[in-house]
Amino acid sequence: MRVFVTGATGFIGTAIVQELVNAGHQVLGLARSEISAQKLVEMGAEVHRGDLEDLESLRSGAAQSEGVIHAGFIHDFTRFSEVCEVDKLAIQTIGEVLAGSDRPLIVTSGTAMVSPGRLATEEIIPPFNPAWPRASEQAADAVVALGVRAAAIRLSPSVHGDDDKHGFIPILFNIAREKGFSAYIGEGLNRWNAVHRLDAARLFRLALEHAAAGVRYHGSAEEAITVKSIAEAIGKQLNIPVASISAETASEHFGWFAHMAAVDCPASSKLTQERLDWRPIHPTLLTDIENGIYTK
């Protein structure tokens, strides 16, 4: 299949591109710089110049393809509402090109806000939350109505693995270094879910090849890891103390990341594994931390 991939040179995108190429697909990767273009060439992909805010580049990329993986997102939390709108418009634009063709469009979402405090499953569809305005899934549902085989992959808050420089685990490492201790809130029993980037990449390929329209898939290899255990693993790696902090001081300690440090978001991928025969095989989050990939 000829596949147009946005976010093709990012941490997850590069793994997706390599997975697709290795499986015999032809990849057209979106690139906004010469460095990104060179990276795509080295991976055996074709280069399509443009970016997520250049709608014409999205239209032409989708028009040349038999399927699209939209893995791109502008990770600028200082203008989160604005970049969520960019994401929504990108999905709408790609969907209009694919309309009526039954070509697959795989969009990217997250598990963290599906059902905080209880186990998230693929069949839970939460209402739109203005406090967390990312609307990738709603945009995908809208293009399903146009005759596009659009589906969403909800990724874990921690997609981990070699070269993870900007994800949530590096953020926790940086805060721990800066503060001199690795913290968790209260008893630290709130839970995250996690997936290795190579397992996530395989899930994107399987979804591209087999997805049903309007379905949600969970890129969650581990259902529940306590934030306390993550903090302890970080403290051990950095050889610094590990301590509980109160909810009242969390914002002071974690800054803008306090909400994520406090969220309780276990997530199942049972249905995803059954539907796509997806079997995560790569190291767990704590194994990656303990193996020193974040302190190299």
Side-chain angles (χ1 to χ4, degrees), residues 82-103:
E82 182 184 338
V83 299
C84 287
E85 190 61 31
V86 169
D87 177 60
K88 178 182 175 182
L89 191 54
I91 294 168
Q92 290 174 345
T93 300
I94 293 168
E96 286 166 3
V97 175
L98 302 181
S101 67
D102 196 45
R103 284 178 283 176

Side-chain angles (χ1 to χ4, degrees), residues 118-141:
R118 63 192 180 103
L119 186 70
T121 66
E122 295 88 340
E123 295 180 328
I124 295 174
I125 301 178
F128 179 72
N129 180 3
W132 186 263
R134 188 164 181 179
S136 314
E137 293 182 27
Q138 291 86 350
D141 288 342

Side-chain angles (χ1 to χ4, degrees), residues 10 15 26 45 64 69-70 74 78-79 99 122 130 158 185 189 192 198 221 263 271 292:
Q26 189 179 0
Q64 298 176 54
I69 291 178
H70 175 52
I74 301 169
T78 64
R79 56 184 188 115
E122 295 88 340
S158 175
I185 301 168
L189 298 182
W192 282 9
L198 299 181
V263 74
L271 289 177

